[in-house]
Amino acid sequence: MFTKDRKLKKSAKYTRDDVPLQLFKVNSNYGSVHFRDDDGSSDLENQTEHSGNDKDISDEKILSGTFESLDYDQCENELFQQEERKSSKAYIKKEVVRWLVFGLIGILTGLIACVIDNMVILSTKLKFSYIKTVVDSCVDANLSCFHWPFLIWVGINAVLVLCGAFMTAVIEPIAAGSGIPQIKCFLNGVKVPHVVRIKTLVCKVLGVICAVAGGLVVGKEGPMIHSGAVVAAGISQGKSDTFHVDFKILQYFRSDKEKRDFVSGGAAAGVSAAFGAPVGGVLFSLEEGASFWNQALTWRIFFASMLSTFSLNIVQSYVKGTPWSLSSPGLFNFGKFDTTDYSGLEIPLFILMGVFGGLLGAAFNHINYKLTIFRKKYITSRGTQVLEAILVAVATATVSYLTLYFNNDCQPMRKDPDEDSVQFFCDDGQYSATAGLLFHTPEESIKELFHDIPGTFRPATLAVYCLCSFFLACWTYGLYVPSGLFIPSILIGASWGRLLAVLLKSAFPSATWVNYSKYALLGGAAQLGGIVRMTISLTVIITEATGNITLGLPVMIVLMVSKWIGDIFNEGIYDMHIHIQGVPLLGWEPSSMLTNISATEVMSHPVTVLRSYESVGRIVNILKNETHNGFPVVEDYDPFTEESPDSGTFGTFHGTILRSQLVTLLKLKVFEEHEDAQQIKKILSIKDFRDAYPRFTPIHRINISAQERNFHIDLKPYFNPGAYSVSHCASFPRIFRLFRALGLRHVVVVNRQQQVIGMVTRKDLARYRITQHLGKVNMEELPITN
């Protein structure tokens, strides 16, 4: 079917500054374009040839052929039309159940957030209370035994992180990190293996508890987004493939399109539970992930977010001993900001904070990028992945202890002393401000930095803590442990934001506009914006978490400026990790630099097609020998005499049919020559094609006899007659917008006579990557490997 003299072209790099615009057009024809399977994978021959000739292409400048696309496009065949013609009662029932499922997603996500929060608080208190007891005993006895607290600290952290890293690296590697990049890919239309399984959820929950309690500079809020998405994907399907349980309910939601909507709601519910920000959760799901949106979906997602916050609030009120005192909207809030007035004269200062946050965020992303590339090349075995996590845990505990030892920062005891205050080397009547930062969870440390109390920290303490947190967080993100990046980013920014307030107060002692909590908050927002490059959703999340709309404008200013400055140097941390993994992510809009590229230069050719009345033997051979996911259904084509026609066409286009549909037809023996053919057709419905979703039976497990191979299947009732196609002269931006807006997996390219001449898949579009760096715009054509 494929010619053997194909060449995988070397990745071309073009720069607008030194190449005329007309040269951006890629010089390719039917025989020299990249050849990809319909699910995006490339053939082994091309991979071997490419790996030997193109050594200058780094590992991160590729697209991975292992990632398949999701089928968001609805197959509107005859079976689908029959189901849609049912009575209005079925439609009303489906809508009511849909709302109930969204509500259940919100409630369960809130409950999971409660489990994570209380387990982290309990384990952290037990650890630091024991260390505090040992420190106090050394102080009381006037003994030089301060090596014991250090060894205990290191030992507890190492054991906890060992447990978290083992579960992640050995049991479920996809549970590593925050999970936001993976969920973003899923909502974009990319199938990431194991991303929404129950096993992933268990490892995520237990792993993040171990990671935070183990002293790593991570937050528990980020993984809540992934946890909510897994809950949504599991609840909405009414079955569990992990436990091989099918409750025979919610079958009508078993499709990629329906699951996408529920996962969007789960991600939003996770944000809402983490920060007590239901509106921010909806906007986060819209800004960061969803490729499809409508008003009805917005209301359902907001409903799930509200119930997530409400259920979390109720449980937390009982945990704190104040039942139904609904004052704990999320796992983390920034405290009360009662005195947050600001002057118009401070806006230039806010802009400078945004600039600094963007620069520091770009530096953070660059360092983490290099570390991730190093890990991808050298830290590949499970043992080394676990050992690295333990090493970071030991290093974090060591740095923390040395910071305490050399920079104790003794402060007079407050009027309302914290019960966890540690004296350490301080005199009686004093407490260690440094220990106040280190002997708490990262969330509690942020609240310490947000206190509007003068003289709480010395400038040296803030500077050292900021630097240590910056490099430790940069090293930690990317380990094989569940880890959120929101809280570490805010922690870093709050440190240098409060340091700026201290310096301003020293320079202007009589200034009443210098507010420590305000500048700490804006510093945290600037740092977070410089790293993740989000604007709208972060503004709303921070505003909801502070409960003070007055800060909306300053927060918006620092977030926008930090994003603009950071984008000059590199992209956001989540997009960076997505591209390192070679995921074919489609952005919001195509670049105008790709206007001169047409469908004939993007498409894959030749094309494997099926006739509307096809032999079973040919279908089986195609499914066994090729990895395509979808096939055009045509007429006027004889595969035995027109295997490689000179005209380059493959019959008149009638529609498309999916691999999963063909496998189901073979499994159910829907053959025309079968003695029960008519009876099978009568009882066959769209439910039969949903039962095995999302993992359909492999073709090699279906037994087809030699006699049955000579039978035929009438594909007319099953293929999608309204499948999308584009003209051969369609431009790249037009095809891109079609894919992005409709969530397509593939689109057929036809000529003026409606004859099939090629196929365009997600990877055909994603291989053209536009990057910006220091004012220069580059276009790279990436190779595709497995």
Side-chain angles (χ1 to χ4, degrees), residues 673-690:
E673 292 84 357
H674 200 283
E675 56 183 6
D676 298 327
Q678 297 302 321
Q679 184 66 24
I680 294 175
K681 283 187 176 183
K682 287 182 179 180
I683 63 176
L684 193 65
S685 68
I686 196 70
K687 294 181 180 179
D688 296 297
F689 293 86
R690 294 171 177 162

Side-chain angles (χ1 to χ4, degrees), residues 505-517:
K505 196 65 176 179
S506 300
F508 307 99
S510 60
T512 58
W513 47 269
V514 178
N515 183 281
Y516 295 99
S517 59

Side-chain angles (χ1 to χ4, degrees), residues 306-328:
M306 287 295 298
L307 282 183
S308 176
T309 301
F310 184 69
S311 59
L312 171 65
N313 218 332
I314 293 175
V315 177
Q316 291 289 71
S317 67
Y318 277 90
V319 172
K320 295 179 180 180
T322 56
W324 291 94
S325 176
L326 307 181
S327 57
S328 302

Side-chain angles (χ1 to χ4, degrees), residues 32 152 161 232 249 342 348 422 460 589 595 675 718:
S32 62
I152 294 172
V161 173
I249 58 174
Y342 64 94
V422 181
E589 289 289 337
T595 305
E675 56 183 6
Y718 314 110

Side-chain angles (χ1 to χ4, degrees), residues 611-617 619-620 657 661-662 664-667 669-673 681 708 710-718:
R611 296 162 297 184
S612 59
Y613 192 81
E614 189 59 84
S615 67
V616 173
I619 293 176
V620 172
I657 191 166
Q661 294 173 307
L662 293 172
T664 302
L665 292 174
L666 293 174
K667 183 179 179 180
K669 309 290 185 180
V670 189
F671 308 145
E672 291 296 304
E673 292 84 357
K681 283 187 176 183
E708 290 175 333
N710 296 321
F711 292 170
H712 294 79
I713 300 179
D714 184 8
L715 300 180
K716 292 186 181 69
Y718 314 110

Side-chain angles (χ1 to χ4, degrees), residues 301-491:
I301 291 178
F302 183 67
F303 177 66
S305 298
M306 287 295 298
L307 282 183
S308 176
T309 301
F310 184 69
S311 59
L312 171 65
N313 218 332
I314 293 175
V315 177
Q316 291 289 71
S317 67
Y318 277 90
V319 172
K320 295 179 180 180
T322 56
W324 291 94
S325 176
L326 307 181
S327 57
S328 302
L331 296 185
F332 173 68
N333 60 78
F334 299 106
K336 294 183 179 180
F337 287 76
D338 297 326
T339 56
T340 52
D341 296 334
Y342 64 94
S343 170
L345 298 177
E346 293 182 80
I347 291 181
L349 191 58
F350 298 156
I351 294 175
L352 291 177
M353 293 180 70
V355 171
F356 186 74
L359 293 174
L360 204 59
F364 183 99
N365 291 358
H366 179 74
I367 297 172
N368 186 262
Y369 174 82
K370 295 297 183 182
L371 282 171
T372 304
I373 296 299
F374 178 84
R375 287 187 178 113
K376 187 178 179 182
K377 290 182 178 180
Y378 302 108
I379 306 178
T380 55
S381 66
R382 295 174 178 176
T384 55
Q385 291 164 355
V386 175
L387 286 175
E388 187 196 12
I390 297 174
L391 175 62
V392 175
V394 172
T396 303
T398 303
V399 170
S400 300
Y401 192 83
L402 291 177
T403 303
L404 272 171
Y405 190 85
F406 291 106
N407 185 34
N408 204 23
D409 194 1
C410 297
Q411 298 288 341
M413 193 66 69
R414 299 176 186 173
K415 294 180 181 180
D416 51 343
D418 188 348
E419 61 179 6
D420 295 326
S421 297
V422 181
Q423 183 177 354
F424 217 66
F425 288 117
C426 298
D427 298 330
D428 293 338
Q430 294 181 328
Y431 74 98
S432 172
T434 305
L437 290 174
L438 300 175
F439 273 53
H440 291 93
T441 61
E443 291 84 359
E444 293 296 326
S445 299
I446 291 177
K447 290 183 180 180
E448 286 288 322
L449 292 170
F450 282 178
H451 276 312
D452 191 22
I453 302 175
T456 305
F457 301 100
R458 290 202 304 255
T461 302
L462 295 171
V464 171
Y465 186 73
C466 178
L467 288 174
C468 293
S469 299
F470 179 88
F471 289 107
L472 287 174
C474 195
W475 189 10
T476 303
Y477 190 74
L479 294 177
Y480 271 78
V481 292
S483 56
L485 193 58
F486 276 61
I487 297 304
S489 301
I490 297 175
L491 196 63

Side-chain angles (χ1 to χ4, degrees), residues 69-105:
S69 298
L70 294 168
D71 293 309
Y72 287 163
D73 185 32
Q74 182 66 55
C75 180
E76 298 177 347
N77 54 22
E78 292 184 10
L79 298 182
F80 175 79
Q81 297 295 337
Q82 291 175 8
E83 185 182 56
E84 291 298 306
R85 282 193 290 267
K86 291 182 179 179
S87 63
S88 59
K89 291 183 179 179
Y91 172 80
I92 295 174
K93 177 185 175 182
K94 185 177 179 180
E95 288 301 306
V96 171
V97 172
R98 194 191 305 274
W99 278 92
L100 292 176
V101 171
F102 269 100
L104 188 58
I105 290 169

